[in-house]
Amino acid sequence: MIEHAGAGRDDRDQAVVDGAFGCGYLVLGGTRASAPDLVAGWPVHRLGSLSYHLHPRARLHTVIRDHGPGRIVLLGDPVDVDTGTVDGTRIGETALDVWASGGLSAVVRYLAYLGGRWTAILEASAPADSPAPADITVVPDCQATQAVFYSTSAGIALGSQPALVAAATGAGPDEAAEQMLQDLRAARRKGVVFLPGTMTTHEQVLPLVPNHLLRIRLRDTSAEVSHERFWPFQDRVEITDTERVTREFIDYFREHTQLLCSINRPIVSLTGGLDSRTTLAAALPHLHRDSFTFTYYNPRDGLVGEGAPLDVFTANALSNAVGVQHRVLRWRQPAKGSVFAQIYDRTYPVRRGSTGAAHAMWADLPHDVIHLQSIGAELGTTFYAARPGVPITPQRLLEIVTARHDLPEQMAHDAFADYLDYAQFSQSAIGGYDYHDVFYWEQRMGKWGYQKYQDGDFSHRMLMPFNSRGLIEIMQSLPYQQRADKVLLQAMLATVPMLNDARLPPHLRAGPSAPAPEPITWRDLVAARPHVRPRIRTALDRVSEHRRGMP
């Protein structure tokens, strides 16, 4: 049953509703659960024991049969590479067949290897008058790119953002998490920081970690939840036959990207790096006449280094080489009180991060596209280069996050002590995979990555060609050095010679032959902004007069 609630709004209010929590959801179960004002006006689907409150741009597919094992709900955009379909209902029917024939573990495994971007919720069948609790299983996609946060303080609440779950349960901000974030920022002045371990922005709200599922037993007034690891399904086997792995990677990556492109008009975020260039190579045959690439640019970055301008110039040259329009999005903060500022504040009422990229996409991109984003490629190549042969401990995980070895043990304990049990994160549980790779997958992608995907969802739909378990397993089967050398990405680029470095102007080519840039000084900044010269001269004159007047 679908209900449409809420009265008409003016254009400004409607724009805020359309953007905030874009493509998100709030799922509630139990007699104590109630929908907060944040989801007023969202369509409501009452299916089985749960109520699904969906953002107006969210997609839902549901399948159930008489005498079947239960109901399957797929939220988002699932992709089945093996059968070549993006039809959510058809994928749900296949999943239901697998569940009926092989049981819950078999359907979890089938779902785990889907590409696209989605969340699956399975509710086992039970007699209508049965007093037994409802058995519900929640499975995320490969990287949990459509995030799942949950709380059991009022029945069960599952949401795509902590703020949604907190609003449904009355949870307040987590002050300890905020302090941890400040401590991490103090320890790591540059680079990415994120809430570690099980921490979220709100108390009693927990994350569903990638490679894990939730088992929920829901009664009228309460819920019991178990957070369980389901991957890896088998131990890692290293493959030294690079030619074989390369063929498998190219075929899989092309097929997954082609299926993503079939969902809607694709556009590609492009930089000078290999990850996004590889995505463009796979997407190129499937772009529409009005598809394009784009690159963010913060004008301030051009004053402190050449990296950001080179990204723009390289992306432009690559796009021109293959005949695709290239756009530059000016990275900028929204005006205070603007529509986008309200969208962002509603979605992130506690922790406000950088809004420049999200605002640029919302303001400057069409809202009826799918955006191919290459986050996640480093799951298959490498990210953390320092890999000492030491065991998994809270202290070691804090070292990975901060690149520091001198932080107090109490900080490590607060950040990760409960996480090792919560995520069953031990060497024996991860089947021969390097824990640095698994940690990057489950923590950095699970706790930082989802916010990057939400940045795009404020206006359109962001999809990730590298968000596929089968693809990541293929990439991680190679020896470490070949992964670090990105041989698979290089092989994919070799299929589209126009995207190789050799086609770029000499000053944009990567390599050690490029001369090291001269350091930027205050004189360069003045030269770039001649209008400040009179002010600087005035200031220098005042300093000189002051010095002359000193005894």
Side-chain angles (χ1 to χ4, degrees):
M1 178 175 65
I2 303 177
E3 306 164 1
H4 291 278
R9 299 178 175 86
D10 61 29
D11 291 344
R12 183 182 178 89
D13 288 343
Q14 189 57 49
V16 173
V17 170
D18 181 74
F21 305 105
C23 303
Y25 64 90
L26 176 66
V27 180
L28 301 174
T31 57
R32 296 171 57 204
S34 60
D37 291 342
L38 284 176
V39 300
W42 288 14
V44 183
H45 301 248
R46 304 193 187 280
L47 304 171
S49 303
L50 303 173
S51 296
Y52 295 77
H53 301 257
L54 301 185
H55 182 271
R57 289 186 282 113
R59 297 183 180 184
L60 179 147
H61 316 272
T62 183
V63 179
I64 189 170
R65 298 187 192 128
D66 292 340
H67 312 297
R71 179 189 298 275
I72 293 179
V73 176
L74 289 168
L75 303 176
D77 301 276
V79 170
D80 189 333
V81 173
D82 290 338
T83 61
T85 185
V86 298
D87 184 327
T89 300
R90 180 180 165 190
I91 292 171
E93 289 172 345
T94 301
L96 202 59
D97 290 339
V98 174
W99 191 2
S101 62
L104 187 62
S105 61
V107 72
V108 167
R109 183 164 183 158
Y110 167 75
L111 292 168
Y113 283 94
L114 293 177
R117 189 172 172 212
W118 50 271
T119 305
I121 301 177
L122 291 69
E123 183 171 354
S125 294
D129 56 350
S130 172
D135 286 326
I136 299 164
T137 304
V138 183
V139 184
D141 66 27
C142 174
Q143 298 175 43
T145 61
Q146 187 166 273
V148 181
F149 297 91
Y150 70 96
S151 174
T152 59
S153 61
I156 186 67
L158 305 160
S160 54
Q161 287 285 349
L164 288 172
V165 177
T169 61
D174 189 331
E175 295 181 2
E178 179 58 32
Q179 184 61 55
M180 174 60 70
L181 203 61
Q182 293 178 19
D183 293 344
L184 288 172
R185 176 52 69 196
R188 184 181 175 89
R189 294 292 182 180
K190 294 183 178 181
V192 168
V193 297
F194 51 85
L195 286 173
T198 63
M199 288 183 171
T200 71
T201 52
H202 290 79
E203 293 180 336
Q204 298 181 329
V205 177
L206 291 168
L208 173 53
V209 176
N211 300 324
H212 296 70
L213 56 78
L214 299 179
R215 295 187 190 272
I216 304 169
R217 292 178 63 81
L218 176 64
R219 295 178 172 84
D220 285 344
T221 60
S222 64
E224 300 172 1
V225 176
S226 175
H227 182 270
E228 302 176 11
R229 175 177 292 280
F230 65 76
W231 183 90
F233 294 103
Q234 61 277 322
D235 289 352
R236 175 181 179 269
V237 176
E238 186 163 288
I239 301 174
T240 57
D241 185 347
T242 308
E243 184 177 346
R244 167 192 156 189
V245 175
T246 299
R247 285 195 307 269
E248 292 177 356
F249 167 77
I250 291 176
D251 289 346
Y252 204 118
F253 191 68
R254 279 175 169 169
E255 181 64 16
H256 188 220
T257 305
Q258 181 270 323
L259 289 167
L260 296 179
C261 289
S262 72
I263 293 173
N264 203 345
R265 173 169 56 129
I267 62 174
V268 181
S269 53
L270 185 64
T271 67
L274 291 185
D275 299 353
S276 63
R277 205 183 304 188
T278 302
T279 292
L280 178 58
L284 194 58
H286 314 293
L287 297 183
H288 298 194
R289 290 176 62 87
D290 54 352
S291 294
F292 56 89
T293 63
F294 71 91
T295 309
Y296 311 111
Y297 181 65
N298 185 345
R300 292 180 300 176
D301 291 342
L303 298 175
V304 297
E306 65 177 13
L310 283 179
D311 257 349
V312 172
F313 299 147
T314 303
N316 184 268
L318 293 168
S319 300
N320 181 66
V322 294
V324 176
Q325 180 192 130
H326 177 246
R327 301 184 186 182
V328 180
L329 272 57
R330 183 169 63 87
W331 190 102
R332 63 198 186 277
Q333 299 291 350
K336 186 176 181 179
S338 65
V339 169
F340 186 78
Q342 293 181 57
I343 289 171
Y344 203 88
D345 288 343
R346 182 177 294 191
T347 308
Y348 298 113
V350 174
R351 179 191 173 200
R352 185 180 179 90
S354 174
T355 60
H359 178 229
M361 287 190 287
W362 180 85
D364 298 340
L365 292 178
H367 288 200
D368 60 345
V369 296
I370 62 111
H371 163 190
L372 300 182
Q373 166 58 256
S374 303
I375 291 176
E378 287 169 312
L379 287 175
T381 55
T382 57
F383 184 79
Y384 298 121
R387 302 188 174 204
V390 298
I392 301 172
T393 63
Q395 193 72 33
R396 175 57 192 148
L397 300 186
L398 185 63
E399 290 172 0
I400 293 173
V401 168
T402 61
R404 293 273 299 272
H405 301 271
D406 57 344
L407 297 175
E409 289 186 11
Q410 186 61 48
M411 185 177 178
H413 180 274
D414 293 344
F416 291 111
D418 63 337
Y419 178 74
L420 299 184
D421 288 335
Y422 181 77
Q424 299 96 63
F425 192 57
S426 65
Q427 198 63 62
S428 61
I430 60 175
Y433 285 85
D434 191 310
Y435 72 80
H436 298 86
D437 295 322
V438 179
F439 182 74
Y440 178 78
W441 186 339
E442 297 178 355
Q443 274 285 285
R444 185 173 170 116
M445 291 295 96
K447 301 299 291 292
W448 167 81
Y450 88 92
Q451 297 180 76
K452 297 303 173 185
Y453 314 136
Q454 180 67 74
D455 283 355
D457 287 346
F458 287 131
S459 59
H460 53 272
R461 184 61 164 167
M462 187 182 286
L463 299 174
M464 281 59 68
F466 288 96
N467 187 40
S468 170
R469 189 177 309 278
L471 187 73
I472 299 305
E473 288 183 348
I474 290 170
M475 297 176 75
Q476 289 199 3
S477 69
L478 283 178
Y480 173 84
Q481 192 56 53
Q482 290 179 295
R483 293 173 54 208
D485 292 340
K486 299 191 174 185
V487 296
L488 297 179
L489 305 192
Q490 298 282 7
M492 182 69 217
L493 288 176
T495 67
V496 186
M498 297 303 291
L499 292 175
N500 287 335
D501 275 350
R503 301 284 184 167
L504 293 172
H507 66 286
L508 296 179
R509 296 175 190 169
S513 59
E518 293 291 330
I520 294 177
T521 68
W522 68 269
R523 297 181 186 277
D524 298 309
L525 299 181
V526 173
R529 295 190 172 186
H531 63 280
V532 303
R533 292 175 186 170
R535 290 184 238 173
I536 293 177
R537 291 196 188 98
T538 300
L540 290 174
D541 289 343
R542 288 175 180 169
V543 172
S544 297
E545 291 175 3
H546 178 71
R547 286 178 175 174
R548 285 196 296 270
M550 293 177 63

